[in-house]
Amino acid sequence: MGRKKILEDGDTARSTGKTKHRSGVRVGPSMWYAVPALVLFGIFAVIPLFGVVILSFMNWDGLGAVTFNGLGNWKRMLADPLVFSGLKLTIILTVVSWVLQTILSVLLGVFMAGKQHYRSFLAVFYFLPLLFSSTAVAISFKNLLDPQYGIGKAFGWPWLQQNFLGNPKTALWVLILVVSWCFIPLHSLLYQGAVRQIPASLYEAAEIDGAGTLRQFFNITLPQLKYTFATDSTLMIVGSLTYFDLVYVMTGGGPANSTRILPLDMYIRGFSSYDMGGASVVGVIILVLGIVISQLLNKISGSDKMESQMEGV
């Protein structure tokens, strides 16, 4: 009887994806499976993070002796207008690119989830940007938008012959478009997989009730993408806080610091000004922003509860 009860509990635990202890017998996957990932995470993520936090209280030029500076670096950085300008630009880049990428990724994901052959053919072209490195993309767009020999000059289009990357009013928006172009394929892939997991019976029932395509999209597809939306938004927003290579190659933070976002500001302070303490303060600010935003998204979406969306289907 006791063994039967333990086996029933084990079945329940496996069905809910949880590990359960009873009478000294542990059921479910062994915790040892997580050890390699935890070791790598500790070496390449946790230890460097603690190093950055400690370094934010130090003076170091990258070569000489490290000296304790207390809150000096923090006071200096919090009084620096470039830090607040970088924070503002980072928020604009993050919010606008999130809105743009989410809308287009959902639409493309839903479109590509169809079973028609021509959609699979078009999907190949949508995924092409994923194959290119950020540096290659940045160099290509920088040359295409060059007013002297770019695409505007080649086709004789006066509007495209503007110096978009040399104008402080347009440089950031061009960067947002290029960043979105790079990452929309990845997020579309996530939404495509999520849409294909939605039970066809839901759409069949909606059709019987007379619901059109648009109503099915808003009443079935979007609600079923709730957790994918939360996960993808977290990836997108936290990823936006770390954009560096593409921005560095295309503008280097200019013109007039109009594209000097926080990750780039951290690099310039650390490796151009040799101010590792100040750069570490900026790094800690980015870290806190990422943690707060990801936690807020989990709380708002309720994805931390891991509720099943298939109940009753």
Side-chain angles (χ1 to χ4, degrees):
M1 182 65 183
R3 180 179 174 78
K4 182 180 179 181
K5 178 64 176 173
I6 291 172
L7 290 175
E8 289 176 351
D9 291 338
D11 292 339
T12 304
R14 279 190 290 274
S15 67
T16 56
K18 296 178 179 177
T19 301
K20 192 171 182 177
H21 298 263
R22 182 177 285 270
S23 302
V25 178
R26 185 162 58 86
V27 295
S30 171
M31 294 298 292
W32 288 104
Y33 290 127
V35 170
L38 289 175
V39 170
L40 291 175
F41 183 75
I43 294 174
F44 294 106
V46 177
I47 294 176
L49 286 179
F50 277 110
V52 168
V53 173
I54 294 172
L55 200 55
S56 68
F57 299 99
M58 306 290 180
N59 274 337
W60 189 39
D61 61 3
L63 293 174
V66 181
T67 57
F68 183 68
N69 191 30
L71 294 176
N73 290 328
W74 283 90
K75 292 178 180 176
R76 181 163 54 87
M77 288 299 105
L78 294 179
D80 192 336
L82 276 178
V83 174
F84 287 97
S85 171
L87 178 61
K88 177 184 173 184
L89 293 172
T90 303
I91 292 173
I92 293 174
L93 176 71
T94 301
V95 173
V96 176
S97 63
W98 172 74
V99 172
L100 186 62
Q101 290 183 55
T102 299
I103 294 174
L104 294 178
S105 297
V106 170
L107 294 177
L108 281 174
V110 172
F111 174 77
M112 292 185 296
K115 296 181 180 179
Q116 295 89 340
H117 291 299
Y118 75 92
R119 297 194 183 195
S120 301
F121 178 74
L122 290 175
V124 174
F125 293 98
Y126 297 147
F127 294 147
L128 280 180
L130 284 177
L131 304 177
F132 306 138
S133 73
S134 297
T135 304
V137 170
I139 293 173
S140 299
F141 273 99
K142 189 175 181 180
N143 288 324
L144 286 172
L145 294 173
D146 192 290
Q148 301 300 323
Y149 53 84
I151 190 172
K153 187 76 172 180
F155 290 97
W157 296 335
W159 184 79
L160 271 179
Q161 294 181 31
Q162 300 178 56
N163 189 5
F164 291 103
L165 294 176
N167 187 344
K169 295 181 179 178
T170 57
L172 182 65
W173 303 106
V174 173
L175 287 178
I176 291 172
L177 291 176
V178 176
V179 165
S180 300
W181 182 83
C182 288
F183 292 100
I184 280 176
L186 170 65
H187 302 295
S188 300
L189 193 63
L190 296 177
Y191 284 110
Q192 179 190 14
V195 170
R196 286 182 173 172
Q197 296 300 316
I198 300 175
S201 57
L202 294 178
Y203 294 103
E204 292 168 358
E207 286 181 2
I208 293 173
D209 291 340
T213 304
L214 199 60
R215 191 171 178 184
Q216 290 178 28
F217 175 76
F218 284 105
N219 290 354
I220 297 176
T221 305
L222 286 184
Q224 290 294 319
L225 294 178
K226 176 183 175 183
Y227 295 136
T228 305
F229 175 77
T231 303
D232 188 63
S233 295
T234 303
L235 289 173
M236 205 178 292
I237 292 175
V238 174
S240 299
L241 296 175
T242 60
Y243 289 151
F244 165 73
D245 46 1
L246 194 144
V247 181
Y248 179 74
V249 173
M250 289 191 71
T251 65
N257 294 319
S258 61
T259 58
R260 185 165 168 161
I261 57 177
L262 281 184
L264 185 60
D265 182 69
M266 179 178 65
Y267 173 84
I268 293 173
R269 290 180 191 278
F271 296 98
S272 295
S273 303
Y274 303 105
D275 178 14
M276 295 298 176
S280 298
V281 172
V282 177
V284 173
I285 293 173
I286 296 173
L287 171 66
V288 172
L289 274 177
I291 293 174
V292 170
I293 291 174
S294 60
Q295 289 299 316
L296 280 177
L297 279 172
N298 280 335
K299 290 293 182 185
I300 293 172
S301 65
S303 61
D304 55 332
K305 299 176 182 176
M306 298 299 291
E307 298 166 336
S308 172
Q309 291 177 283
M310 299 299 173
E311 291 183 12
V313 177

